[in-house]
Amino acid sequence: MLLFLLLVFLPAVPIETEVVETLTDCPGYFVEETPPEIPDILVGGNILNRTRYKVICQTLEDTRRFLTLYDTKNKIPVFSAYRFIGAQPGRPKEDWKIEPQLEDTNDDINMRLLEDYTTILDNQAVDSDYRNNQSYDRGHLYPSSHAPNESAKLSTFTLTNAVPQSRTFNSGNWSQMERCTKCLMEHYCIRNRTVIEAFVVTGAEQSDEKLNDKMNIPSRMWSAFCCNRTDGVWMSKAYWGHNVPNGNVTESSHEEMTTNFGIQIFPPLCSVRQKSQDKTTLCKKKCKFLTPSVPPADKDETSEKTTFPPNTTPTTTTPPTTTKMTQPTTSITSRSVIKKKQEDCEETEDRNKKEIEEEENNMEGEESIMKRVFII
Ligand SMILES: *[C@@H]1O[C@H](CO)[C@@H](O)[C@H](O)[C@H]1NC(C)=O
Ligand SMILES: *[C@@H]1O[C@H](CO)[C@@H](O)[C@H](O)[C@H]1NC(C)=O
Ligand SMILES: *[C@@H]1O[C@H](CO)[C@@H](O)[C@H](O)[C@H]1NC(C)=O
Ligand SMILES: *[C@@H]1O[C@H](CO)[C@@H](O)[C@H](O)[C@H]1NC(C)=O
Ligand SMILES: *[C@@H]1O[C@H](CO)[C@@H](O)[C@H](O)[C@H]1NC(C)=O
Ligand SMILES: *[C@@H]1O[C@H](CO)[C@@H](O)[C@H](O)[C@H]1NC(C)=O
Ligand SMILES: *[C@@H]1O[C@H](CO)[C@@H](O)[C@H](O)[C@H]1NC(C)=O
């Protein structure tokens, strides 16, 4: 009889929820499934206040995309975590979505547009909360530029993945950092010499300030990645900056993040330090604005070689300083492969600049019309 009752009533209970109870219910986004340690919030994998902090297994088109630990009081994420597997170029024009299950756990598993929603949202920010203040963007934690395909890009446009971020910080050194880490991960995080894979966690530190009396304006933001390199050695890098106009981004290590922020982002295996870990020659250009500057390239080619996928093994570590319009003149040498890659990178940078302008153009209201006039 009991079994019968269970069978009858179980289907009424939602089997799938994407606002899940614990981080382990949303696997695949942390190095060795080990989540960060964030004092007073997340300790030993346990969320200390489960009323306030919600684990969102970010889902779009019935596919899980990434993970966010969301602070329903501050109405901003604590962090978003994702697996970087290489990225497609382009940025979709997209309306921002919300997370239905933060309001009603029986609602649909997929993030969706606000207009499809009829009740008032108590537990999260909505798009209109970000309007009327030109100083702050809806700053992505998991950026669209790090997503592998169109649907994955669309999934990053959810407000539970955004914080009020100083506009010039977002479009300046923070976006520079995103280009830099994308380049580093694509060149160095090649698992088993075949697949790009890195684990990234990006977070925001709460302050005492609010935007529109609703969302907390984070004082600092941080981002770190860890991966098992081609040669089987783990590598990690961390970056952080103050969320202020024209804010700078400082390169750090995940160990320094413990000293500086009191958080531990990755498990100890990401701490393995090797001399060659600092070789970021290929991405030097993309990382050039970051402080402290990337160590100068040394010419230790032999150990450098081991960090590249076979078909891009460089014959030189000196990046050409020619303009991006120069065509590779050498025949099919690895030098031209590298050169080609760098041209791709430069195109990406130009495209990103265009995207930033487009995003500014897309702002709602009269200011955007004025802005468009200025840009054109
Ligand atoms: C947990 O968070 C809720 C909502 O922010 C708050 O009302 C409650 O006091 C918190 N509980 C503890 C033990 O801090
Ligand atoms: C896009 O990438 C995700 C991984 O984030 C994958 O699950 C999904 O199948 C991909 N979609 C397409 C259309 O390739
Ligand atoms: C980034 O910060 C550096 C100083 O660290 C500054 O010189 C540079 O102009 C900034 N870049 C942008 C795009 O804001
Ligand atoms: C590594 O890649 C090779 C093919 O290049 C494949 O045969 C092997 O199964 C892969 N190993 C792992 C652990 O994925
Ligand atoms: C934007 O928000 C900040 C922080 O709340 C506030 O200091 C500033 O006055 C706001 N600007 C406008 C134009 O509302
Ligand atoms: C890193 O990857 C290599 C090659 O795939 C593998 O042999 C090694 O066990 C991995 N290292 C760790 C610590 O898992
Ligand atoms: C960024 O760094 C540059 C150079 O170190 C400095 O001049 C500038 O004031 C910094 N910007 C901010 C907002 O701290």
Side-chain angles (χ1 to χ4, degrees):
M1 185 60 190
L2 181 62
L3 183 64
F4 172 75
L5 282 177
L6 278 176
L7 287 174
V8 168
F9 288 106
L10 263 181
V13 178
I15 313 283
E16 282 190 282
T17 56
E18 300 318 292
V19 173
V20 294
E21 283 297 303
T22 66
L23 292 162
T24 50
D25 294 328
C26 189
Y29 303 107
F30 298 121
V31 175
E32 306 219 309
E33 301 299 339
T34 309
E37 290 281 311
I38 303 182
D40 302 328
I41 298 177
L42 179 58
V43 177
N46 298 309
I47 297 160
L48 299 186
N49 188 336
R50 289 206 205 166
T51 313
R52 174 168 174 181
Y53 300 100
K54 299 290 184 184
V55 182
I56 307 175
C57 210
Q58 300 277 12
T59 302
L60 181 68
E61 293 161 9
D62 295 326
T63 305
R64 290 178 165 188
R65 310 287 175 166
F66 61 104
L67 180 155
T68 295
L69 182 64
Y70 191 73
D71 180 346
T72 57
K73 184 168 179 241
N74 282 332
K75 314 248 181 320
I76 55 167
V78 178
F79 62 74
S80 283
Y82 56 101
R83 206 167 67 97
F84 178 87
I85 56 168
Q88 290 283 310
R91 178 185 171 114
K93 284 207 184 355
E94 179 62 9
D95 295 320
W96 287 81
K97 295 173 282 296
I98 53 101
E99 175 49 53
Q101 290 194 342
L102 280 182
E103 311 300 322
D104 176 359
T105 49
N106 294 325
D107 208 324
D108 188 61
I109 60 172
N110 293 291
M111 56 178 79
R112 68 165 179 260
L113 296 174
L114 185 64
E115 48 241 54
D116 305 334
Y117 211 86
T118 46
T119 51
I120 288 176
L121 308 190
D122 294 324
N123 298 322
Q124 60 194 305
V126 299
D127 204 35
S128 58
D129 294 329
Y130 278 89
R131 290 190 192 138
N132 311 321
N133 195 317
Q134 295 295 305
S135 308
Y136 291 96
D137 275 345
R138 293 155 296 192
H140 280 86
L141 294 191
Y142 175 17
S144 150
S145 61
H146 283 195
N149 56 45
E150 189 72 7
S151 336
K153 283 177 188 296
L154 293 177
S155 77
T156 67
F157 289 84
T158 181
L159 287 161
T160 55
N161 180 43
V163 300
Q165 184 175 15
S166 173
R167 175 156 293 172
T168 51
F169 177 47
N170 188 21
S171 62
N173 271 331
W174 188 260
S175 105
Q176 180 76 27
M177 179 278 290
E178 289 169 344
R179 285 192 288 277
C180 167
T181 53
K182 174 175 179 285
C183 187
L184 290 173
M185 293 187 292
E186 282 176 345
H187 284 107
Y188 295 90
C189 299
I190 319 279
R191 185 165 52 86
N192 193 20
R193 296 188 164 270
T194 49
V195 283
I196 298 173
E197 182 186 70
F199 293 89
V200 190
V201 187
T202 300
E205 179 186 63
Q206 66 169 13
S207 74
D208 299 326
E209 255 196 280
K210 281 182 182 174
L211 179 62
N212 291 331
D213 205 28
K214 187 163 182 186
M215 292 85 65
N216 194 285
I217 301 173
S219 44
R220 299 187 291 180
M221 292 171 67
W222 50 266
S223 182
F225 73 84
C226 171
C227 66
N228 187 346
R229 259 177 7 186
T230 315
D231 52 4
V233 173
W234 288 84
M235 90 180 259
S236 68
K237 285 188 178 290
Y239 303 85
W240 68 274
H242 291 282
N243 184 21
V244 294
N246 298 310
N248 293 313
V249 171
T250 302
E251 183 177 328
S252 186
S253 66
H254 95 267
E255 299 93 319
E256 280 164 4
M257 295 298 286
T258 306
T259 322
N260 195 354
F261 284 73
I263 59 179
Q264 185 176 338
I265 304 173
F266 294 124
L269 70 82
C270 292
S271 301
V272 175
R273 288 196 74 88
Q274 293 251 327
K275 184 171 167 284
S276 57
Q277 174 169 338
D278 294 323
K279 290 202 173 126
T280 50
T281 322
L282 269 183
C283 300
K284 214 170 141 190
K285 184 167 183 232
K286 290 186 159 296
C287 297
K288 73 183 170 190
F289 288 125
L290 304 173
T291 53
S293 56
V294 172
D298 62 41
K299 307 276 176 188
D300 187 359
E301 286 174 37
T302 41
S303 67
E304 185 75 344
K305 266 189 183 123
T306 62
T307 67
F308 298 117
N311 64 347
T312 58
T313 302
T315 54
T316 172
T317 53
T318 314
T321 49
T322 48
T323 71
K324 59 179 165 273
M325 289 303 144
T326 314
Q327 292 302 313
T329 47
T330 45
S331 55
I332 312 161
T333 64
S334 47
R335 180 192 274 259
S336 69
V337 172
I338 294 300
K339 205 163 174 181
K340 175 79 182 73
K341 260 192 177 299
Q342 276 165 347
E343 283 167 7
D344 291 348
C345 283
E346 284 169 14
E347 278 164 27
T348 309
E349 277 183 31
D350 288 347
R351 202 203 57 251
N352 274 320
K353 267 184 217 133
K354 223 182 265 160
E355 282 166 7
I356 289 160
E357 285 175 12
E358 271 170 21
E359 184 175 72
E360 285 175 353
N361 278 336
N362 284 339
M363 291 179 310
E364 278 135 295
E366 284 172 24
E367 284 110 316
S368 71
I369 293 159
M370 284 166 61
K371 194 130 195 162
R372 199 171 290 140
V373 171
F374 284 124
I375 286 170
I376 293 164

